[in-house]
Amino acid sequence: QAQLVESGGGLVQPGGSLRLSCAASGFTLEDYAINWFRRAPGKEREGVSCISSSSRSIDYADRVRGRFTISRDNAKNTVYLQMNSLKPDDTGVYYCAASPVGCGSYYLDYWGPGTQVTVSS
């Protein structure tokens, strides 16, 4: 029963912060690159960030670079996305997905169900 589960979403005012977690169970996360995606209302899903299995490769979308930080704790089988200086345009459902190939690959074995992030005053 391999699973990914996101947590940490919620309602926050513009300029606020949230930390999302992506916890794996039933498989070893250290063998996978982890992507964060998001889908805003009325928009297509977009890539947010990715971290390789070794953490030697880290990618950010231009819209979030400088505000978001991805990290992983393989001992806890968890990847984090620290989101600072949040904007209303960051609103959406955030998903994590695991790839055995690496960042930039569309071969994604596992997806979480998503967690809602709402940035509004």
Side-chain angles (χ1 to χ4, degrees):
Q1 64 277 359
Q3 296 183 48
L4 290 174
V5 179
E6 304 92 342
S7 62
L11 175 64
V12 65
Q13 293 185 345
S17 298
L18 288 171
R19 188 181 73 161
L20 305 184
S21 298
C22 174
S25 61
F27 70 102
T28 301
L29 195 62
E30 67 180 357
D31 296 327
Y32 292 81
I34 300 298
N35 298 265
W36 284 97
F37 296 91
R38 69 185 182 188
R39 187 188 298 275
K43 295 184 178 181
E44 295 184 1
R45 185 177 64 214
E46 63 175 334
V48 176
S49 186
C50 182
I51 185 167
S52 67
S53 60
S54 66
S55 300
R56 287 194 289 268
S57 180
I58 294 176
D59 298 322
Y60 297 101
D62 289 343
R63 290 183 178 89
V64 309
R65 186 175 292 109
R67 299 186 296 119
F68 291 12
T69 302
I70 192 170
S71 62
R72 67 190 301 154
D73 186 344
N74 287 336
K76 293 186 176 181
N77 240 16
T78 301
V79 170
Y80 304 97
L81 185 68
Q82 178 67 45
M83 306 187 297
N84 298 326
S85 301
L86 284 163
K87 305 174 180 179
D89 285 348
D90 295 318
T91 294
V93 179
Y94 284 68
Y95 305 87
C96 61
S99 172
V101 178
C103 291
S105 175
Y106 286 96
Y107 192 85
L108 302 167
D109 281 346
Y110 309 113
W111 288 81
T115 186
Q116 176 70 43
V117 172
T118 303
V119 184
S120 177
S121 60

PDB file of all heavy atoms in Angstrom, residues 71-109:
ATOM      1  N   SER A  71      12.825  20.765   0.700  1.00  0.00           N
ATOM      2  CA  SER A  71      13.831  20.010   1.428  1.00  0.00           C
ATOM      3  C   SER A  71      13.299  18.610   1.691  1.00  0.00           C
ATOM      4  O   SER A  71      12.113  18.345   1.503  1.00  0.00           O
ATOM      5  CB  SER A  71      14.205  20.704   2.746  1.00  0.00           C
ATOM      6  OG  SER A  71      13.080  20.797   3.605  1.00  0.00           O
ATOM      7  N   ARG A  72      14.175  17.730   2.123  1.00  0.00           N
ATOM      8  CA  ARG A  72      13.732  16.376   2.418  1.00  0.00           C
ATOM      9  C   ARG A  72      14.457  15.828   3.628  1.00  0.00           C
ATOM     10  O   ARG A  72      15.603  16.183   3.917  1.00  0.00           O
ATOM     11  CB  ARG A  72      13.915  15.457   1.200  1.00  0.00           C
ATOM     12  CG  ARG A  72      15.351  15.182   0.797  1.00  0.00           C
ATOM     13  CD  ARG A  72      15.393  14.477  -0.563  1.00  0.00           C
ATOM     14  NE  ARG A  72      14.663  13.221  -0.547  1.00  0.00           N
ATOM     15  CZ  ARG A  72      14.109  12.650  -1.623  1.00  0.00           C
ATOM     16  NH1 ARG A  72      14.199  13.246  -2.804  1.00  0.00           N
ATOM     17  NH2 ARG A  72      13.475  11.494  -1.506  1.00  0.00           N
ATOM     18  N   ASP A  73      13.771  14.951   4.331  1.00  0.00           N
ATOM     19  CA  ASP A  73      14.326  14.227   5.464  1.00  0.00           C
ATOM     20  C   ASP A  73      14.065  12.758   5.188  1.00  0.00           C
ATOM     21  O   ASP A  73      12.993  12.235   5.498  1.00  0.00           O
ATOM     22  CB  ASP A  73      13.685  14.677   6.771  1.00  0.00           C
ATOM     23  CG  ASP A  73      14.336  14.051   7.992  1.00  0.00           C
ATOM     24  OD1 ASP A  73      15.066  13.053   7.846  1.00  0.00           O
ATOM     25  OD2 ASP A  73      14.110  14.563   9.109  1.00  0.00           O
ATOM     26  N   ASN A  74      15.034  12.106   4.583  1.00  0.00           N
ATOM     27  CA  ASN A  74      14.834  10.717   4.183  1.00  0.00           C
ATOM     28  C   ASN A  74      14.636   9.793   5.378  1.00  0.00           C
ATOM     29  O   ASN A  74      13.951   8.773   5.263  1.00  0.00           O
ATOM     30  CB  ASN A  74      16.011  10.234   3.335  1.00  0.00           C
ATOM     31  CG  ASN A  74      16.009  10.830   1.941  1.00  0.00           C
ATOM     32  OD1 ASN A  74      14.968  11.242   1.424  1.00  0.00           O
ATOM     33  ND2 ASN A  74      17.183  10.877   1.317  1.00  0.00           N
ATOM     34  N   ALA A  75      15.217  10.137   6.518  1.00  0.00           N
ATOM     35  CA  ALA A  75      15.020   9.330   7.712  1.00  0.00           C
ATOM     36  C   ALA A  75      13.566   9.313   8.144  1.00  0.00           C
ATOM     37  O   ALA A  75      13.100   8.350   8.752  1.00  0.00           O
ATOM     38  CB  ALA A  75      15.906   9.833   8.846  1.00  0.00           C
ATOM     39  N   LYS A  76      12.841  10.388   7.850  1.00  0.00           N
ATOM     40  CA  LYS A  76      11.422  10.475   8.171  1.00  0.00           C
ATOM     41  C   LYS A  76      10.530  10.175   6.977  1.00  0.00           C
ATOM     42  O   LYS A  76       9.305  10.261   7.091  1.00  0.00           O
ATOM     43  CB  LYS A  76      11.080  11.862   8.715  1.00  0.00           C
ATOM     44  CG  LYS A  76      11.703  12.164  10.064  1.00  0.00           C
ATOM     45  CD  LYS A  76      11.214  13.494  10.600  1.00  0.00           C
ATOM     46  CE  LYS A  76      11.746  13.755  11.992  1.00  0.00           C
ATOM     47  NZ  LYS A  76      11.262  15.039  12.541  1.00  0.00           N
ATOM     48  N   ASN A  77      11.137   9.845   5.838  1.00  0.00           N
ATOM     49  CA  ASN A  77      10.369   9.538   4.631  1.00  0.00           C
ATOM     50  C   ASN A  77       9.447  10.696   4.255  1.00  0.00           C
ATOM     51  O   ASN A  77       8.307  10.496   3.833  1.00  0.00           O
ATOM     52  CB  ASN A  77       9.552   8.258   4.817  1.00  0.00           C
ATOM     53  CG  ASN A  77       9.912   7.168   3.818  1.00  0.00           C
ATOM     54  OD1 ASN A  77      10.948   7.210   3.154  1.00  0.00           O
ATOM     55  ND2 ASN A  77       9.047   6.174   3.702  1.00  0.00           N
ATOM     56  N   THR A  78       9.967  11.917   4.383  1.00  0.00           N
ATOM     57  CA  THR A  78       9.141  13.106   4.212  1.00  0.00           C
ATOM     58  C   THR A  78       9.889  14.172   3.425  1.00  0.00           C
ATOM     59  O   THR A  78      11.093  14.365   3.601  1.00  0.00           O
ATOM     60  CB  THR A  78       8.723  13.671   5.575  1.00  0.00           C
ATOM     61  OG1 THR A  78       7.990  12.674   6.299  1.00  0.00           O
ATOM     62  CG2 THR A  78       7.833  14.893   5.408  1.00  0.00           C
ATOM     63  N   VAL A  79       9.158  14.865   2.564  1.00  0.00           N
ATOM     64  CA  VAL A  79       9.644  16.030   1.834  1.00  0.00           C
ATOM     65  C   VAL A  79       8.803  17.227   2.253  1.00  0.00           C
ATOM     66  O   VAL A  79       7.585  17.101   2.468  1.00  0.00           O
ATOM     67  CB  VAL A  79       9.582  15.808   0.314  1.00  0.00           C
ATOM     68  CG1 VAL A  79       9.853  17.106  -0.443  1.00  0.00           C
ATOM     69  CG2 VAL A  79      10.588  14.751  -0.099  1.00  0.00           C
ATOM     70  N   TYR A  80       9.440  18.386   2.351  1.00  0.00           N
ATOM     71  CA  TYR A  80       8.772  19.594   2.807  1.00  0.00           C
ATOM     72  C   TYR A  80       8.822  20.672   1.738  1.00  0.00           C
ATOM     73  O   TYR A  80       9.736  20.728   0.914  1.00  0.00           O
ATOM     74  CB  TYR A  80       9.435  20.132   4.075  1.00  0.00           C
ATOM     75  CG  TYR A  80       9.498  19.139   5.192  1.00  0.00           C
ATOM     76  CD1 TYR A  80      10.655  18.392   5.415  1.00  0.00           C
ATOM     77  CD2 TYR A  80       8.406  18.927   6.028  1.00  0.00           C
ATOM     78  CE1 TYR A  80      10.718  17.471   6.440  1.00  0.00           C
ATOM     79  CE2 TYR A  80       8.466  18.008   7.057  1.00  0.00           C
ATOM     80  CZ  TYR A  80       9.618  17.284   7.260  1.00  0.00           C
ATOM     81  OH  TYR A  80       9.682  16.368   8.276  1.00  0.00           O
ATOM     82  N   LEU A  81       7.829  21.542   1.778  1.00  0.00           N
ATOM     83  CA  LEU A  81       7.824  22.737   0.947  1.00  0.00           C
ATOM     84  C   LEU A  81       7.485  23.918   1.842  1.00  0.00           C
ATOM     85  O   LEU A  81       6.330  24.085   2.252  1.00  0.00           O
ATOM     86  CB  LEU A  81       6.813  22.624  -0.196  1.00  0.00           C
ATOM     87  CG  LEU A  81       6.813  23.792  -1.192  1.00  0.00           C
ATOM     88  CD1 LEU A  81       8.110  23.804  -1.997  1.00  0.00           C
ATOM     89  CD2 LEU A  81       5.607  23.714  -2.127  1.00  0.00           C
ATOM     90  N   GLN A  82       8.495  24.702   2.178  1.00  0.00           N
ATOM     91  CA  GLN A  82       8.297  25.910   2.963  1.00  0.00           C
ATOM     92  C   GLN A  82       7.907  27.038   2.024  1.00  0.00           C
ATOM     93  O   GLN A  82       8.641  27.352   1.087  1.00  0.00           O
ATOM     94  CB  GLN A  82       9.577  26.277   3.720  1.00  0.00           C
ATOM     95  CG  GLN A  82       9.482  27.561   4.534  1.00  0.00           C
ATOM     96  CD  GLN A  82       8.533  27.441   5.697  1.00  0.00           C
ATOM     97  OE1 GLN A  82       8.567  26.454   6.417  1.00  0.00           O
ATOM     98  NE2 GLN A  82       7.673  28.445   5.885  1.00  0.00           N
ATOM     99  N   MET A  83       6.766  27.655   2.271  1.00  0.00           N
ATOM    100  CA  MET A  83       6.226  28.689   1.410  1.00  0.00           C
ATOM    101  C   MET A  83       6.133  29.986   2.199  1.00  0.00           C
ATOM    102  O   MET A  83       5.375  30.077   3.169  1.00  0.00           O
ATOM    103  CB  MET A  83       4.853  28.289   0.871  1.00  0.00           C
ATOM    104  CG  MET A  83       4.846  26.936   0.168  1.00  0.00           C
ATOM    105  SD  MET A  83       3.258  26.567  -0.633  1.00  0.00           S
ATOM    106  CE  MET A  83       2.180  26.521   0.794  1.00  0.00           C
ATOM    107  N   ASN A  84       6.904  30.978   1.787  1.00  0.00           N
ATOM    108  CA  ASN A  84       6.923  32.281   2.435  1.00  0.00           C
ATOM    109  C   ASN A  84       6.420  33.347   1.476  1.00  0.00           C
ATOM    110  O   ASN A  84       6.373  33.148   0.263  1.00  0.00           O
ATOM    111  CB  ASN A  84       8.337  32.634   2.893  1.00  0.00           C
ATOM    112  CG  ASN A  84       8.894  31.672   3.914  1.00  0.00           C
ATOM    113  OD1 ASN A  84       8.165  31.138   4.749  1.00  0.00           O
ATOM    114  ND2 ASN A  84      10.206  31.450   3.866  1.00  0.00           N
ATOM    115  N   SER A  85       6.069  34.497   2.026  1.00  0.00           N
ATOM    116  CA  SER A  85       5.605  35.635   1.230  1.00  0.00           C
ATOM    117  C   SER A  85       4.517  35.221   0.254  1.00  0.00           C
ATOM    118  O   SER A  85       4.548  35.552  -0.928  1.00  0.00           O
ATOM    119  CB  SER A  85       6.786  36.275   0.485  1.00  0.00           C
ATOM    120  OG  SER A  85       7.783  36.707   1.381  1.00  0.00           O
ATOM    121  N   LEU A  86       3.539  34.515   0.765  1.00  0.00           N
ATOM    122  CA  LEU A  86       2.501  33.957  -0.088  1.00  0.00           C
ATOM    123  C   LEU A  86       1.645  35.043  -0.720  1.00  0.00           C
ATOM    124  O   LEU A  86       1.368  36.078  -0.106  1.00  0.00           O
ATOM    125  CB  LEU A  86       1.633  32.992   0.708  1.00  0.00           C
ATOM    126  CG  LEU A  86       2.290  31.633   0.969  1.00  0.00           C
ATOM    127  CD1 LEU A  86       1.573  30.905   2.101  1.00  0.00           C
ATOM    128  CD2 LEU A  86       2.283  30.792  -0.302  1.00  0.00           C
ATOM    129  N   LYS A  87       1.241  34.785  -1.944  1.00  0.00           N
ATOM    130  CA  LYS A  87       0.423  35.686  -2.734  1.00  0.00           C
ATOM    131  C   LYS A  87      -0.900  35.013  -3.076  1.00  0.00           C
ATOM    132  O   LYS A  87      -0.985  33.787  -3.096  1.00  0.00           O
ATOM    133  CB  LYS A  87       1.147  36.058  -4.030  1.00  0.00           C
ATOM    134  CG  LYS A  87       2.532  36.649  -3.842  1.00  0.00           C
ATOM    135  CD  LYS A  87       3.214  36.852  -5.189  1.00  0.00           C
ATOM    136  CE  LYS A  87       4.595  37.434  -5.023  1.00  0.00           C
ATOM    137  NZ  LYS A  87       5.272  37.617  -6.334  1.00  0.00           N
ATOM    138  N   PRO A  88      -1.929  35.792  -3.370  1.00  0.00           N
ATOM    139  CA  PRO A  88      -3.191  35.177  -3.788  1.00  0.00           C
ATOM    140  C   PRO A  88      -3.039  34.230  -4.976  1.00  0.00           C
ATOM    141  O   PRO A  88      -3.763  33.228  -5.053  1.00  0.00           O
ATOM    142  CB  PRO A  88      -4.065  36.382  -4.142  1.00  0.00           C
ATOM    143  CG  PRO A  88      -3.560  37.461  -3.243  1.00  0.00           C
ATOM    144  CD  PRO A  88      -2.071  37.245  -3.167  1.00  0.00           C
ATOM    145  N   ASP A  89      -2.106  34.514  -5.876  1.00  0.00           N
ATOM    146  CA  ASP A  89      -1.894  33.649  -7.031  1.00  0.00           C
ATOM    147  C   ASP A  89      -1.314  32.290  -6.653  1.00  0.00           C
ATOM    148  O   ASP A  89      -1.274  31.386  -7.491  1.00  0.00           O
ATOM    149  CB  ASP A  89      -0.963  34.319  -8.046  1.00  0.00           C
ATOM    150  CG  ASP A  89      -1.640  35.422  -8.835  1.00  0.00           C
ATOM    151  OD1 ASP A  89      -2.880  35.535  -8.762  1.00  0.00           O
ATOM    152  OD2 ASP A  89      -0.929  36.173  -9.527  1.00  0.00           O
ATOM    153  N   ASP A  90      -0.855  32.135  -5.423  1.00  0.00           N
ATOM    154  CA  ASP A  90      -0.377  30.840  -4.953  1.00  0.00           C
ATOM    155  C   ASP A  90      -1.511  29.917  -4.547  1.00  0.00           C
ATOM    156  O   ASP A  90      -1.269  28.749  -4.236  1.00  0.00           O
ATOM    157  CB  ASP A  90       0.572  31.012  -3.763  1.00  0.00           C
ATOM    158  CG  ASP A  90       1.849  31.740  -4.131  1.00  0.00           C
ATOM    159  OD1 ASP A  90       2.412  31.452  -5.209  1.00  0.00           O
ATOM    160  OD2 ASP A  90       2.295  32.587  -3.332  1.00  0.00           O
ATOM    161  N   THR A  91      -2.724  30.418  -4.530  1.00  0.00           N
ATOM    162  CA  THR A  91      -3.875  29.620  -4.136  1.00  0.00           C
ATOM    163  C   THR A  91      -4.067  28.429  -5.074  1.00  0.00           C
ATOM    164  O   THR A  91      -3.960  28.565  -6.294  1.00  0.00           O
ATOM    165  CB  THR A  91      -5.139  30.480  -4.123  1.00  0.00           C
ATOM    166  OG1 THR A  91      -5.033  31.462  -3.087  1.00  0.00           O
ATOM    167  CG2 THR A  91      -6.386  29.639  -3.874  1.00  0.00           C
ATOM    168  N   GLY A  92      -4.349  27.278  -4.515  1.00  0.00           N
ATOM    169  CA  GLY A  92      -4.610  26.097  -5.307  1.00  0.00           C
ATOM    170  C   GLY A  92      -4.447  24.840  -4.485  1.00  0.00           C
ATOM    171  O   GLY A  92      -4.139  24.885  -3.292  1.00  0.00           O
ATOM    172  N   VAL A  93      -4.656  23.716  -5.133  1.00  0.00           N
ATOM    173  CA  VAL A  93      -4.429  22.422  -4.516  1.00  0.00           C
ATOM    174  C   VAL A  93      -3.005  21.991  -4.840  1.00  0.00           C
ATOM    175  O   VAL A  93      -2.606  21.964  -6.008  1.00  0.00           O
ATOM    176  CB  VAL A  93      -5.428  21.368  -5.007  1.00  0.00           C
ATOM    177  CG1 VAL A  93      -5.144  20.019  -4.369  1.00  0.00           C
ATOM    178  CG2 VAL A  93      -6.853  21.808  -4.695  1.00  0.00           C
ATOM    179  N   TYR A  94      -2.248  21.662  -3.826  1.00  0.00           N
ATOM    180  CA  TYR A  94      -0.850  21.276  -3.974  1.00  0.00           C
ATOM    181  C   TYR A  94      -0.714  19.766  -3.840  1.00  0.00           C
ATOM    182  O   TYR A  94      -1.236  19.164  -2.900  1.00  0.00           O
ATOM    183  CB  TYR A  94       0.010  21.974  -2.922  1.00  0.00           C
ATOM    184  CG  TYR A  94       0.272  23.425  -3.236  1.00  0.00           C
ATOM    185  CD1 TYR A  94      -0.755  24.355  -3.196  1.00  0.00           C
ATOM    186  CD2 TYR A  94       1.550  23.864  -3.591  1.00  0.00           C
ATOM    187  CE1 TYR A  94      -0.523  25.685  -3.507  1.00  0.00           C
ATOM    188  CE2 TYR A  94       1.795  25.190  -3.890  1.00  0.00           C
ATOM    189  CZ  TYR A  94       0.754  26.098  -3.846  1.00  0.00           C
ATOM    190  OH  TYR A  94       0.998  27.425  -4.147  1.00  0.00           O
ATOM    191  N   TYR A  95      -0.003  19.170  -4.791  1.00  0.00           N
ATOM    192  CA  TYR A  95       0.202  17.738  -4.850  1.00  0.00           C
ATOM    193  C   TYR A  95       1.696  17.423  -4.830  1.00  0.00           C
ATOM    194  O   TYR A  95       2.497  18.150  -5.407  1.00  0.00           O
ATOM    195  CB  TYR A  95      -0.363  17.138  -6.148  1.00  0.00           C
ATOM    196  CG  TYR A  95      -1.816  17.430  -6.421  1.00  0.00           C
ATOM    197  CD1 TYR A  95      -2.200  18.585  -7.089  1.00  0.00           C
ATOM    198  CD2 TYR A  95      -2.801  16.530  -6.032  1.00  0.00           C
ATOM    199  CE1 TYR A  95      -3.533  18.851  -7.356  1.00  0.00           C
ATOM    200  CE2 TYR A  95      -4.134  16.788  -6.301  1.00  0.00           C
ATOM    201  CZ  TYR A  95      -4.487  17.942  -6.958  1.00  0.00           C
ATOM    202  OH  TYR A  95      -5.813  18.202  -7.228  1.00  0.00           O
ATOM    203  N   CYS A  96       2.065  16.322  -4.204  1.00  0.00           N
ATOM    204  CA  CYS A  96       3.410  15.797  -4.370  1.00  0.00           C
ATOM    205  C   CYS A  96       3.349  14.513  -5.179  1.00  0.00           C
ATOM    206  O   CYS A  96       2.346  13.792  -5.177  1.00  0.00           O
ATOM    207  CB  CYS A  96       4.119  15.577  -3.033  1.00  0.00           C
ATOM    208  SG  CYS A  96       3.350  14.410  -1.887  1.00  0.00           S
ATOM    209  N   ALA A  97       4.421  14.242  -5.911  1.00  0.00           N
ATOM    210  CA  ALA A  97       4.496  13.074  -6.773  1.00  0.00           C
ATOM    211  C   ALA A  97       5.928  12.573  -6.802  1.00  0.00           C
ATOM    212  O   ALA A  97       6.865  13.366  -6.857  1.00  0.00           O
ATOM    213  CB  ALA A  97       4.021  13.409  -8.186  1.00  0.00           C
ATOM    214  N   ALA A  98       6.076  11.257  -6.790  1.00  0.00           N
ATOM    215  CA  ALA A  98       7.384  10.620  -6.697  1.00  0.00           C
ATOM    216  C   ALA A  98       7.791  10.013  -8.030  1.00  0.00           C
ATOM    217  O   ALA A  98       6.998   9.317  -8.671  1.00  0.00           O
ATOM    218  CB  ALA A  98       7.369   9.537  -5.620  1.00  0.00           C
ATOM    219  N   SER A  99       9.028  10.267  -8.424  1.00  0.00           N
ATOM    220  CA  SER A  99       9.582   9.725  -9.652  1.00  0.00           C
ATOM    221  C   SER A  99      10.825   8.904  -9.353  1.00  0.00           C
ATOM    222  O   SER A  99      11.728   9.378  -8.661  1.00  0.00           O
ATOM    223  CB  SER A  99       9.953  10.843 -10.627  1.00  0.00           C
ATOM    224  OG  SER A  99      10.663  10.323 -11.741  1.00  0.00           O
ATOM    225  N   PRO A 100      10.908   7.680  -9.889  1.00  0.00           N
ATOM    226  CA  PRO A 100      12.130   6.892  -9.721  1.00  0.00           C
ATOM    227  C   PRO A 100      13.241   7.306 -10.667  1.00  0.00           C
ATOM    228  O   PRO A 100      14.364   6.802 -10.548  1.00  0.00           O
ATOM    229  CB  PRO A 100      11.658   5.464 -10.025  1.00  0.00           C
ATOM    230  CG  PRO A 100      10.581   5.662 -11.040  1.00  0.00           C
ATOM    231  CD  PRO A 100       9.889   6.958 -10.647  1.00  0.00           C
ATOM    232  N   VAL A 101      12.956   8.215 -11.606  1.00  0.00           N
ATOM    233  CA  VAL A 101      13.923   8.616 -12.620  1.00  0.00           C
ATOM    234  C   VAL A 101      14.694   9.853 -12.188  1.00  0.00           C
ATOM    235  O   VAL A 101      15.933   9.872 -12.240  1.00  0.00           O
ATOM    236  CB  VAL A 101      13.220   8.856 -13.965  1.00  0.00           C
ATOM    237  CG1 VAL A 101      14.230   9.320 -15.015  1.00  0.00           C
ATOM    238  CG2 VAL A 101      12.506   7.595 -14.424  1.00  0.00           C
ATOM    239  N   GLY A 102      13.982  10.898 -11.787  1.00  0.00           N
ATOM    240  CA  GLY A 102      14.625  12.120 -11.363  1.00  0.00           C
ATOM    241  C   GLY A 102      13.777  13.330 -11.688  1.00  0.00           C
ATOM    242  O   GLY A 102      12.707  13.223 -12.287  1.00  0.00           O
ATOM    243  N   CYS A 103      14.242  14.489 -11.285  1.00  0.00           N
ATOM    244  CA  CYS A 103      13.543  15.731 -11.575  1.00  0.00           C
ATOM    245  C   CYS A 103      13.498  15.971 -13.079  1.00  0.00           C
ATOM    246  O   CYS A 103      14.477  15.733 -13.789  1.00  0.00           O
ATOM    247  CB  CYS A 103      14.220  16.904 -10.872  1.00  0.00           C
ATOM    248  SG  CYS A 103      14.048  16.875  -9.075  1.00  0.00           S
ATOM    249  N   GLY A 104      12.363  16.418 -13.550  1.00  0.00           N
ATOM    250  CA  GLY A 104      12.162  16.653 -14.968  1.00  0.00           C
ATOM    251  C   GLY A 104      11.516  15.503 -15.697  1.00  0.00           C
ATOM    252  O   GLY A 104      11.146  15.650 -16.860  1.00  0.00           O
ATOM    253  N   SER A 105      11.355  14.364 -15.034  1.00  0.00           N
ATOM    254  CA  SER A 105      10.742  13.194 -15.644  1.00  0.00           C
ATOM    255  C   SER A 105       9.239  13.223 -15.476  1.00  0.00           C
ATOM    256  O   SER A 105       8.724  13.652 -14.441  1.00  0.00           O
ATOM    257  CB  SER A 105      11.303  11.916 -15.024  1.00  0.00           C
ATOM    258  OG  SER A 105      10.625  10.778 -15.528  1.00  0.00           O
ATOM    259  N   TYR A 106       8.539  12.759 -16.501  1.00  0.00           N
ATOM    260  CA  TYR A 106       7.093  12.614 -16.420  1.00  0.00           C
ATOM    261  C   TYR A 106       6.684  11.226 -15.932  1.00  0.00           C
ATOM    262  O   TYR A 106       5.491  10.945 -15.849  1.00  0.00           O
ATOM    263  CB  TYR A 106       6.453  12.904 -17.779  1.00  0.00           C
ATOM    264  CG  TYR A 106       6.436  14.367 -18.123  1.00  0.00           C
ATOM    265  CD1 TYR A 106       7.423  14.931 -18.917  1.00  0.00           C
ATOM    266  CD2 TYR A 106       5.429  15.202 -17.650  1.00  0.00           C
ATOM    267  CE1 TYR A 106       7.422  16.282 -19.229  1.00  0.00           C
ATOM    268  CE2 TYR A 106       5.411  16.549 -17.949  1.00  0.00           C
ATOM    269  CZ  TYR A 106       6.407  17.084 -18.740  1.00  0.00           C
ATOM    270  OH  TYR A 106       6.399  18.428 -19.054  1.00  0.00           O
ATOM    271  N   TYR A 107       7.651  10.389 -15.638  1.00  0.00           N
ATOM    272  CA  TYR A 107       7.360   9.072 -15.085  1.00  0.00           C
ATOM    273  C   TYR A 107       7.196   9.220 -13.582  1.00  0.00           C
ATOM    274  O   TYR A 107       8.173   9.287 -12.831  1.00  0.00           O
ATOM    275  CB  TYR A 107       8.476   8.087 -15.425  1.00  0.00           C
ATOM    276  CG  TYR A 107       8.123   6.655 -15.134  1.00  0.00           C
ATOM    277  CD1 TYR A 107       7.429   5.889 -16.067  1.00  0.00           C
ATOM    278  CD2 TYR A 107       8.474   6.064 -13.930  1.00  0.00           C
ATOM    279  CE1 TYR A 107       7.104   4.578 -15.805  1.00  0.00           C
ATOM    280  CE2 TYR A 107       8.143   4.747 -13.659  1.00  0.00           C
ATOM    281  CZ  TYR A 107       7.460   4.007 -14.603  1.00  0.00           C
ATOM    282  OH  TYR A 107       7.135   2.699 -14.337  1.00  0.00           O
ATOM    283  N   LEU A 108       5.958   9.276 -13.148  1.00  0.00           N
ATOM    284  CA  LEU A 108       5.616   9.539 -11.751  1.00  0.00           C
ATOM    285  C   LEU A 108       4.830   8.356 -11.207  1.00  0.00           C
ATOM    286  O   LEU A 108       3.695   8.120 -11.623  1.00  0.00           O
ATOM    287  CB  LEU A 108       4.815  10.829 -11.636  1.00  0.00           C
ATOM    288  CG  LEU A 108       5.519  12.076 -12.188  1.00  0.00           C
ATOM    289  CD1 LEU A 108       4.551  13.237 -12.323  1.00  0.00           C
ATOM    290  CD2 LEU A 108       6.690  12.454 -11.292  1.00  0.00           C
ATOM    291  N   ASP A 109       5.427   7.638 -10.286  1.00  0.00           N
ATOM    292  CA  ASP A 109       4.824   6.408  -9.778  1.00  0.00           C
ATOM    293  C   ASP A 109       3.677   6.657  -8.812  1.00  0.00           C
ATOM    294  O   ASP A 109       2.677   5.938  -8.830  1.00  0.00           O
ATOM    295  CB  ASP A 109       5.879   5.547  -9.077  1.00  0.00           C
ATOM    296  CG  ASP A 109       6.748   4.758 -10.034  1.00  0.00           C
ATOM    297  OD1 ASP A 109       6.396   4.647 -11.215  1.00  0.00           O
ATOM    298  OD2 ASP A 109       7.789   4.239  -9.585  1.00  0.00           O
TER     299      ASP A 109
END
